[in-house]
Amino acid sequence: MFDMLLNGLGLVASLSTVILVGAGLVIGLLVGALPGLGPLMGIILLLPYAITFPPVQAMGFLIAIYVGGSCGGAISAILLRIPGTPLAAATLFDGYPMAQKGRAADAIGIAISASAIGGAFGGLILILFSPSLAAFAAGFGPPEYALLAITGLTAIAAVSDQSMLKGLIAGAAGLLLATIGTDEFTAAERFTFGLFELSNGFNIVAIVVGLFAISEMSSLLTGDDLLKRPELSVARPGFRSAFLVLKRWPNLLRSSTIGACVGALPGAGGVISSFTAYAVAKTFAKPEERYGEGAEGGIVASESANNATAGGALVPTLALGIPGDAATAVLIGALLILGVFPGPTLFAQHSDIVGGIFLVYMLANVALFVVGILMTPLFVYVLRLRKVILIPTVLLLCAIGTFAVGSSIFDLWVMFAFGFVGLILRAGGYPLAPMVIGVILGPLLENNVRRSLLLSNDGLQIFIERPVSATLLFINVALLICVAVFALRRLTAGRKPDILQGSA
């Protein structure tokens, strides 16, 4: 591994590489902060430009967009209560309340610092343990993926702070939405009502943008302060925010580990890791930390996990040629266009390129801390526009970003429809995040449970016969017990049980 990094150093140690990484970070932060876009969209739009460079420089530019975009969504989540990307949905729970308390600068600084440190941790995991992590990911089968989906679903109990019952209802609605489309096993269409556009189900980008962004903008339209300039209480986050993150090092280490491990599982993604890390952090938190009301630990958990996921996602991408998520799928396409074929032979045939990719990933995460802190005021100036200007601008960006994903007018109708659904849920006090969790994890859970039952001839023993699946089953049971213990601790602290609360 040391020789691989040494060979790659010669490809990275150039001014042009550093400039491209810096430019990629700025672009990534921008597309991440603007609702409806995100790192995937940034990578897709700039792929034709990136492939004009040598492989390591091209991948450094695209990976920097990936890293910056994974962090940028936290900025709008904290300042506007709109997650710029689905990755930042968990950051919303504590980031926005902290900003409302006049600590927006600290919230953004913590998010950027945790993202940089978590991403660097994911890079270290990638560099030091990529062979074993790749072998571990390759050994996962349907039972393991089914139980992993259940692990992610337990996060609903954590994100439904005010009303667990309403959170479970929203999560169940998300699972039902996930069944719409073509059955993977029988090729039969389910709940499509004859609409060809629904043959692949709803576009997750349209759902997330509609639920969060469109419903939020619609709510703002009913206010009487459309002509007032928003008073965002943030000027410039300080570099001292790194110390606020480091003093919570157990949470940081635990969440980064969750992110890196989940990222190494093909198809898992940062949404699962961020919600899971948030749920675990909330479970181990003290009652006085008051998660959901502006807890620093909540931001540390979600942001360190989703950026660490990026490093883990590169493990199956490079070692197996299997994308860890949608963004790394595009990165595989970029490598193929550049004449580099990911997979087991990549490490033997192009060790210098692999080493260079590892180094530019680490460079991007180290630079993220500096670039993110220095560039935040630029995004604040954009987000401080008057609502009468900001709202149509955000709606336009949401429409452009949603349409660009699939070039489908139908996706725009879906976006606006879920905006209306979001308004109804907000009015009824239902949390929005559980529905998104259900939509994302539904196909993963259903398909792998059915595959597991086919492999075992409809027997459930397959979930306990395999060592990894048995371990995951034990973890799920332990998490449920921890949630119950957490609820008991809240009761002893004098608070009502969640299920009795009337609002979300």
Side-chain angles (χ1 to χ4, degrees):
M1 184 63 68
F2 178 77
D3 292 338
M4 185 180 299
L5 294 175
L6 189 62
N7 293 334
L9 182 62
L11 301 177
V12 176
S14 65
L15 181 61
S16 58
T17 302
V18 175
I19 292 175
L20 283 171
V21 169
L25 282 173
V26 173
I27 295 172
L29 286 166
L30 178 63
V31 297
L34 295 175
L37 299 181
L40 174 60
M41 186 56 53
I43 293 173
I44 291 174
L45 293 177
L46 292 168
L47 178 61
Y49 174 73
I51 59 176
T52 61
F53 295 99
V56 172
Q57 291 184 357
M59 295 304 296
F61 179 61
L62 296 176
I63 287 174
I65 296 175
Y66 185 25
V67 170
S70 298
C71 171
I75 298 175
S76 55
I78 292 170
L79 297 180
L80 294 176
R81 201 185 175 190
I82 303 173
T85 67
L87 301 174
T91 306
L92 182 77
F93 304 131
D94 288 288
Y96 185 73
M98 186 181 293
Q100 293 299 101
K101 294 179 180 179
R103 298 189 60 199
D106 285 339
I108 294 177
I110 290 172
I112 293 173
S113 302
S115 295
I117 297 172
F121 180 87
L124 289 176
I125 294 294
L126 171 66
I127 294 172
L128 297 177
F129 303 106
S130 57
S132 58
L133 281 176
F136 180 71
F140 260 57
E144 288 78 16
Y145 278 111
L147 290 168
L148 178 67
I150 294 176
T151 304
L153 288 172
T154 59
I156 291 177
V159 302
S160 306
D161 182 63
Q162 299 299 321
S163 177
M164 187 179 296
L165 177 59
K166 291 184 177 180
L168 292 175
I169 292 173
L175 289 173
L176 289 175
L177 289 172
T179 63
I180 296 174
T182 303
D183 189 328
E184 182 177 321
F185 293 85
T186 65
E189 293 187 350
R190 304 184 302 187
F191 310 114
T192 61
F193 302 100
L195 295 175
F196 172 76
E197 293 84 355
L198 286 178
S199 59
N200 292 322
F202 288 116
N203 187 326
I204 183 61
V205 174
I207 293 177
V208 173
V209 172
L211 282 177
F212 287 99
I214 301 300
S215 65
E216 180 69 19
M217 292 298 102
S218 300
S219 298
L220 292 178
L221 282 173
T222 62
D224 56 358
D225 56 348
L226 295 179
L227 298 178
K228 295 180 181 179
R229 184 184 298 274
E231 296 296 333
L232 300 179
S233 58
V234 55
R236 185 188 301 273
F239 290 99
R240 70 178 183 86
S241 57
F243 297 101
L244 298 177
V245 174
L246 291 174
K247 75 177 183 180
R248 301 183 180 277
W249 64 268
N251 183 3
L252 177 67
L253 180 61
R254 180 178 60 242
S255 301
S256 299
T257 302
I258 291 173
C261 292
V262 171
L265 306 176
V271 177
I272 295 177
S273 65
S274 60
F275 278 110
T276 302
Y278 183 87
V280 173
K282 184 175 180 179
T283 299
F284 284 97
K286 299 177 180 179
E288 57 267 23
E289 293 187 58
R290 304 180 73 86
Y291 270 55
E293 300 178 18
E296 295 178 358
I299 303 176
V300 171
S302 61
E303 286 302 310
S304 60
N306 64 40
N307 266 59
T309 301
L314 288 174
V315 173
T317 300
L318 297 177
L320 304 174
I322 301 173
D325 56 17
T328 51
V330 180
L331 293 180
I332 287 180
L335 282 172
L336 294 175
I337 294 173
L338 292 167
V340 180
F341 297 91
T345 60
L346 177 62
F347 289 78
Q349 297 178 357
H350 302 284
S351 62
D352 55 341
I353 293 178
V354 175
I357 291 174
F358 286 168
L359 290 175
V360 293
Y361 175 80
M362 293 299 294
L363 175 62
N365 281 282
V366 172
L368 173 63
F369 175 63
V370 178
V371 174
I373 295 295
L374 295 179
M375 294 298 296
T376 294
L378 172 63
F379 302 112
V380 174
Y381 286 129
V382 174
L383 297 176
R384 286 174 63 185
L385 294 171
R386 291 181 175 87
K387 290 183 180 179
V388 70
I389 299 175
L390 177 63
I391 292 174
T393 303
V394 171
L395 291 175
L396 178 62
L397 290 172
C398 290
I400 293 175
T402 301
F403 177 79
V405 171
S407 299
S408 172
I409 297 294
F410 181 78
D411 287 344
L412 294 179
W413 288 112
V414 171
M415 177 188 72
F416 288 115
F418 276 95
F420 181 70
V421 171
L423 280 175
I424 296 176
L425 291 176
R426 288 174 185 266
Y430 289 84
L432 303 179
M435 179 176 287
V436 177
I437 296 175
V439 171
I440 292 174
L441 297 184
L444 183 67
L445 176 62
E446 178 192 2
N447 293 337
N448 286 288
V449 166
R450 293 172 70 177
R451 290 193 185 99
S452 300
L453 295 177
L454 286 174
L455 290 173
S456 62
N457 293 321
D458 295 332
L460 298 176
Q461 67 275 8
I462 191 172
F463 294 102
I464 58 176
E465 289 177 345
R466 298 160 65 101
V468 177
S469 62
T471 302
L472 287 172
L473 181 61
F474 173 79
I475 292 174
N476 285 330
V477 173
L479 282 175
L480 292 175
I481 294 175
C482 288
V483 169
V485 171
F486 173 76
L488 181 62
R489 288 172 60 186
R490 290 187 59 190
L491 282 173
T492 58
R495 300 182 64 181
K496 295 181 180 180
D498 289 346
I499 198 171
L500 299 179
Q501 299 282 341
S503 59

